[in-house]
Amino acid sequence: MTELLHNPLIATVLIFTLIALGEWVSIVTKARVPMLLTAMVGFLILSWTGIFPEDIMDRSQFALLGSILIGPAIVHMGTLIPLTVLKSQYKAVIIGLSGIIISGILVLSVVTFVFNYETAVAGIGPISGGVVALLITQEKLTEIGLSTIIVVPALIVAFQGVLGMPLALNFMRRYAAKMIKGIDDGTFVPMNGNALKQPLDQQKQGPLRSSPTIKLFLVFVVGAIGVILGEITGVHYSLWCLGLGILSVKIGLLENESLNKANSFTLTMIGIIFVVIGTMADVTPQQVLDNLPAILTILLLGTFGIALGGFIGSKLVKWHPYKGMPVALTALFGFPGDYILCEEVSRSVARNEKEEKMIFDELLTPMLIGGFTTVTVASVIIAGILIQTL
């Protein structure tokens, strides 16, 4: 049996089983239990109990493909957002920033008082973002010899989605139900207006442009350009990929929903989910127990602060809190969690395909913008500044 687990396909199927189980649980529970949550918790349990070998993710090798697909997936995200809608998304930016500012103030003040300043700083960047903030924090902690708390940011990133995703899902479901009521009584006005109803891709295409292989190649090319620009400029490649995705649709290089048109979206998402689950691979029960008090304090305070900031920001920009608070909470899970939650909510609440698309379109754009504001930009800035104070 051990020899079988060395086979990359078998290792991949075992991990894929958790994702499929999570998808089934999400469908059965009408998105009350997110797929990503089930998959991550299941992976931890099976790893801790020894059912999965410690290096099963390395044996699978599928996460390597997933890491390559992150750039093209972000380009695809850019092709989902009409420019006319982007102009109105300053409200999502305000809400996202409000969440991490309030969260940062709470964590820095309370955790410094209860534990110490170093632990507070170790948690602030990761709780307001993700992997990049984690890497910045861990690198500095290693440099200055604070190895005793180096596991704190890793565990924050590993478990922040466990709190953030169900909370955001609850608010999104409530807002979707409010949308359904508005659709029934004729009072609901879609945020995207007619932007998504334009027949952008209706024109007849030549054989080259209609080829899924060519379409996928172009997405990869744009993603590669984004990575190159990230290396040259120092601006994170995800921002370049998102911007280039938007621009590529504008100039006609890519189509709307580019990976869907290339028949590659599902495989891309599965590959990226492998990467997300892989971040849990090095977490051990003893690490959790040793740092549990600080981790729980940062997670609870951070989550509360982000939700409170999202509520305040929603009131400032005159959005319903059920719509705005999930935007702030994207700091706890980012992509692909935000996309997955939008899919799950629209699928579970809608009564037909038309309503499903309306709900998805209404939720997706502010969630993506909120995620990029917090996870990609603000968390990196916060981590980079605060870690220098140690």
Side-chain angles (χ1 to χ4, degrees):
M1 183 64 182
T2 305
E3 291 298 322
L4 287 175
L5 290 177
H6 283 283
N7 185 286
L9 178 58
I10 293 174
T12 298
V13 169
L14 290 174
I15 300 170
F16 204 163
T17 300
L18 293 175
I19 299 173
L21 175 64
E23 183 73 5
W24 178 80
V25 171
S26 173
I27 293 170
V28 169
T29 61
K30 295 187 180 296
R32 287 181 176 86
V33 181
M35 177 270 284
L36 208 55
L37 176 59
T38 301
M40 288 193 296
V41 172
F43 181 81
L44 275 180
I45 293 172
L46 292 173
S47 298
W48 288 352
T49 55
I51 297 174
F52 277 2
E54 293 180 0
D55 60 347
I56 188 171
M57 192 62 71
D58 294 331
R59 296 180 186 183
S60 164
Q61 301 179 22
F62 201 76
L64 294 175
L65 174 62
S67 63
I68 295 172
L69 294 172
I70 293 174
I74 296 173
V75 171
H76 169 78
M77 290 163 62
T79 68
L80 297 175
I81 308 172
L83 283 172
T84 53
V85 178
L86 270 180
K87 294 176 183 178
S88 67
Q89 287 309 303
Y90 70 92
K91 294 182 178 181
V93 174
I94 291 173
I95 291 171
L97 291 177
S98 298
I100 60 174
I101 289 171
I102 298 297
S103 171
I105 292 171
L106 279 176
V107 171
L108 195 59
S109 55
V110 176
V111 175
T112 298
F113 178 76
V114 176
F115 299 97
N116 53 63
Y117 179 73
E118 290 80 8
T119 301
V121 171
I124 286 180
I127 195 67
S128 61
V131 176
V132 177
L134 165 65
L135 294 176
I136 293 172
T137 304
Q138 284 190 324
E139 183 179 290
K140 184 64 177 181
L141 291 176
T142 302
E143 180 185 324
I144 61 179
L146 291 175
S147 57
T148 55
I149 62 171
I150 199 169
V151 72
V152 171
L155 291 173
I156 294 295
V157 170
F159 286 102
Q160 61 187 172
V162 175
L163 289 177
M165 291 180 68
L167 191 58
L169 180 65
N170 179 265
F171 291 135
M172 292 167 72
R173 284 179 57 85
R174 293 187 180 195
Y175 184 70
K178 180 178 172 63
M179 284 179 59
I180 294 294
K181 184 178 179 181
I183 291 170
D184 288 342
D185 59 27
T187 59
F188 173 70
V189 179
M191 178 191 68
N192 288 10
N194 293 320
L196 296 179
K197 299 179 181 178
Q198 298 171 359
L200 296 174
D201 302 313
Q202 296 296 316
Q203 62 268 34
K204 184 175 177 61
Q205 297 178 325
L208 282 178
R209 292 304 304 273
S210 62
S211 166
T213 302
I214 299 297
K215 292 177 181 179
L216 184 60
F217 168 72
L218 291 174
V219 174
F220 268 68
V221 168
V222 175
I225 293 172
V227 171
I228 292 170
L229 289 173
E231 291 290 331
I232 294 174
T233 63
V235 177
H236 198 261
Y237 76 89
S238 60
L239 287 176
W240 284 111
C241 288
L242 181 69
L244 289 172
I246 297 167
L247 179 63
S248 296
V249 172
K250 185 69 175 177
I251 65 176
L253 178 64
L254 297 178
E255 301 175 77
N256 285 87
E257 304 179 354
S258 56
L259 285 178
N260 296 79
K261 301 292 175 59
N263 301 325
S264 306
F265 179 70
T266 299
L267 184 62
T268 299
M269 290 299 295
I270 296 300
I272 293 173
I273 291 169
F274 265 70
V275 176
V276 174
I277 295 174
T279 63
M280 313 286 280
D282 296 326
V283 176
T284 66
Q286 190 59 48
Q287 288 175 329
V288 175
L289 291 174
D290 290 345
N291 295 277
L292 194 58
I295 292 165
L296 287 176
T297 302
I298 294 171
L299 283 171
L300 293 174
L301 276 176
T303 302
F304 174 76
I306 289 171
L308 177 62
F311 179 84
I312 294 171
S314 299
K315 291 296 185 181
L316 288 174
V317 301
K318 296 180 171 54
W319 273 12
H320 194 286
Y322 290 160
K323 178 181 179 180
M325 292 169 74
V327 172
L329 288 166
T330 55
L332 296 172
F333 46 88
F335 179 80
D338 46 11
Y339 192 100
I340 291 168
L341 290 186
C342 290
E343 277 192 324
E344 292 182 350
V345 170
S346 59
R347 180 183 62 205
S348 64
V349 176
R351 298 165 296 187
N352 53 58
E353 289 187 5
K354 182 179 179 181
E355 287 182 357
E356 182 177 344
K357 180 168 175 56
M358 289 179 70
I359 293 171
F360 181 78
D361 290 343
E362 181 74 12
L363 294 175
L364 180 64
T365 303
M367 289 290 284
L368 293 181
I369 298 301
F372 273 96
T373 300
T374 55
V375 176
T376 305
V377 182
S379 68
V380 175
I381 296 172
I382 290 171
I385 292 174
L386 288 179
I387 206 71
Q388 297 301 320
T389 64
L390 295 178

